[in-house]
Amino acid sequence: MSGTGARGGGVDGTRAGTGGRAAVVHEKSTTGLYIRDIPRELLARVPAEQRGPGLGRDAVRLLVSRGGTRVSLHAFRELPHLLRAGDVLVVNTSATLAAAVDARLGGEALVVHFSTRGDDGRWAVELRAPAGGGTTRPRPGGPAGAVVELPGGRLLVLEEPLAAGADRLWWARPSPARPSPVPPSPHPYGVPELLREHGRPIRYAYTERDQPLSVYQTVFAVPEPDGAGSAEMPSAGRPFTADLVARLVSRGVQFAPLTLHTGVASQEAHEPPYPERYAVPATTAALVNAARAGGGRVIAVGTTAVRALESAADPRGVVRAAGGWTDLVVTPERGVRVVDGLLTGLHEPEASHLLMLEAVAGRAAVRLGYAQALARHCLWHEFGDAHLLLRDDNRH
């Protein structure tokens, strides 16, 4: 499932801009708020800290939506003054993987995006075609039984599509290396080792250049002992710095960690959000429940945090320690049981996450927020500006 300001990409999966046409916000009766176009000048091409001397990750803007009638624009570093003592920020600690690896299928050059590791040792992967300049373009998946050659003599055998009727993502099984004059890796089956040795962060066409993996790690990222992580950065947490976290804590705002490992973004228009692995620890459940009992607000940092936290909540909104796989899709019809606010990025046209935003804040708030984001020239995608949506307690 797409989970950040950048995630939830367009039909072709490139998430590139559509030129200088005017951006239009409109509604569809079945799916709520949509944005028709994002002007190219509003695509964030480099991280904030690379836009000028002395800038940090928090040198982005923060749009704040309070119900369907109030929107304000701030510097992100003002966040401590916009929250209050007793609020809890729920953050995703999943580390970003160097999930893109060059490969070959017969005589064809490929880039493999490693998305999600299954319980049976297989990986969900997306095969893409090199597009030059470090970017890629869509390519049909498969065929079944095809053997993809990876660096270091490793192999990947394609088995079946991840979902019936959608062949973009495939289950693939790492295989022993073929005999080669090049010494094989000591871990021929080890995808985490492969990614550490030969991988790079997944990059999309709107970005200006390749970036080191450190650029895609949030301050909350905790590496897993087994090498698990997210195919793409849980980018809502990217603008936070250690100094900003300290200032928030000093004002009485608490942080509650959980983990949801995100798969690759840019699902096709006909694809549902896919299941993702998550874990909500008992300490986080206790923090959230105590905050709600004491009148504090529970604010999720990213759509991934919403998905994990709501997956661990019972119908009354009581959160318990939980983990495993979640296929939860948060919509206005389903609503939210725990979350009072959502700090996220600006999402793509027809991204399913716009429905999650509506579930938290209401359609009017999302519609007004996006109109203001366009009017105030906010920046989209993982290196772009942030959007804090707070629940309108007066809406029905």
Side-chain angles (χ1 to χ4, degrees):
M1 179 172 181
S2 297
T4 67
R7 296 172 60 79
V11 172
D12 68 359
T14 63
R15 300 190 299 182
T18 54
R21 298 191 301 274
V24 178
V25 179
H26 65 101
E27 292 182 44
K28 289 186 179 180
S29 59
T30 56
T31 49
L33 183 84
Y34 283 76
I35 306 164
R36 185 169 298 154
D37 291 321
I38 304 171
R40 292 184 66 84
E41 64 270 18
L42 299 187
L43 304 175
R45 301 182 183 281
V46 296
E49 63 272 22
Q50 296 179 16
R51 294 177 197 149
L55 297 180
R57 287 181 170 221
D58 58 356
V60 298
R61 292 180 295 171
L62 175 64
L63 198 69
V64 181
S65 295
R66 300 175 179 87
T69 59
R70 293 183 294 161
V71 178
S72 55
L73 188 63
H74 307 264
F76 190 83
R77 58 177 62 96
E78 295 178 58
L79 183 62
H81 301 289
L82 300 169
L83 302 180
R84 57 189 185 226
D87 288 344
V88 173
L89 289 174
V90 181
V91 297
N92 187 359
T93 63
S94 181
T96 308
L97 302 176
V101 177
D102 292 327
R104 297 197 69 84
L105 178 54
E108 180 186 5
L110 297 175
V111 177
V112 178
H113 287 177
F114 284 86
S115 178
T116 305
R117 181 170 57 187
D119 292 331
D120 58 0
R122 298 187 299 176
W123 280 76
V125 301
E126 180 186 23
L127 304 185
R128 294 181 69 88
T135 62
T136 61
R137 62 177 180 270
R139 174 200 181 278
V147 178
V148 177
E149 298 180 31
L150 300 169
R154 297 174 175 90
L155 304 175
L156 195 65
V157 181
L158 303 179
E159 294 191 349
E160 60 183 340
L162 193 62
D167 69 348
R168 185 177 64 89
L169 290 174
W170 280 66
W171 284 116
R173 189 175 299 277
S175 172
R178 290 173 176 158
S180 169
V182 179
S185 164
H187 305 285
Y189 292 86
V191 171
E193 291 81 8
L194 170 75
L195 301 185
R196 283 194 290 268
E197 294 169 13
H198 301 284
R200 61 184 179 276
I202 291 175
R203 178 189 161 201
Y204 287 91
Y206 55 81
T207 56
E208 188 173 287
R209 55 182 175 268
D210 287 340
Q211 299 284 350
L213 183 59
S214 59
V215 166
Y216 292 90
Q217 301 293 6
T218 73
V219 71
F220 307 113
V222 178
E224 297 277 3
D226 64 355
S230 289
E232 299 187 19
M233 172 177 56
S235 56
R238 191 184 190 281
F240 285 87
T241 64
D243 176 71
L244 182 59
V245 170
R247 289 198 294 119
L248 284 160
V249 171
S250 72
R251 289 185 63 86
V253 176
Q254 299 184 81
F255 286 83
L258 51 72
T259 302
L260 186 139
H261 296 312
T262 67
V264 297
S266 60
Q267 59 249 32
E268 306 292 344
H270 61 281
E271 292 179 18
Y274 290 108
E276 293 170 316
R277 191 189 301 274
Y278 80 105
V280 176
T283 50
T284 288
L287 272 172
V288 168
N289 292 334
R292 296 183 74 234
R297 295 175 297 183
V298 178
I299 299 172
V301 178
T303 57
T304 59
V306 176
R307 194 182 204 198
L309 193 62
E310 292 287 328
S311 296
D314 68 16
R316 297 174 298 143
V318 177
V319 179
R320 295 182 172 84
W325 292 87
T326 178
D327 59 1
L328 176 65
V329 180
V330 178
T331 65
E333 292 73 27
R334 189 267 185 192
V336 289
R337 299 167 179 170
V338 183
V339 174
D340 301 301
L342 170 59
L343 179 63
T344 184
L346 293 168
H347 294 275
E348 277 277 357
E350 302 191 13
S352 61
H353 292 307
L354 293 172
L355 298 178
M356 182 185 289
L357 272 59
E358 289 186 19
V360 173
R363 178 175 296 183
V366 181
R367 181 174 57 238
L368 180 60
Y370 272 74
Q372 286 296 304
L374 294 166
R376 301 190 186 202
H377 304 287
C378 294
L379 298 180
W380 260 253
H381 295 312
E382 67 264 42
F383 300 142
D385 294 321
H387 189 189
L388 173 61
L389 299 106
L390 298 173
R391 174 182 284 179
D392 181 1
D393 292 327
N394 296 317
R395 72 183 176 90
H396 297 286

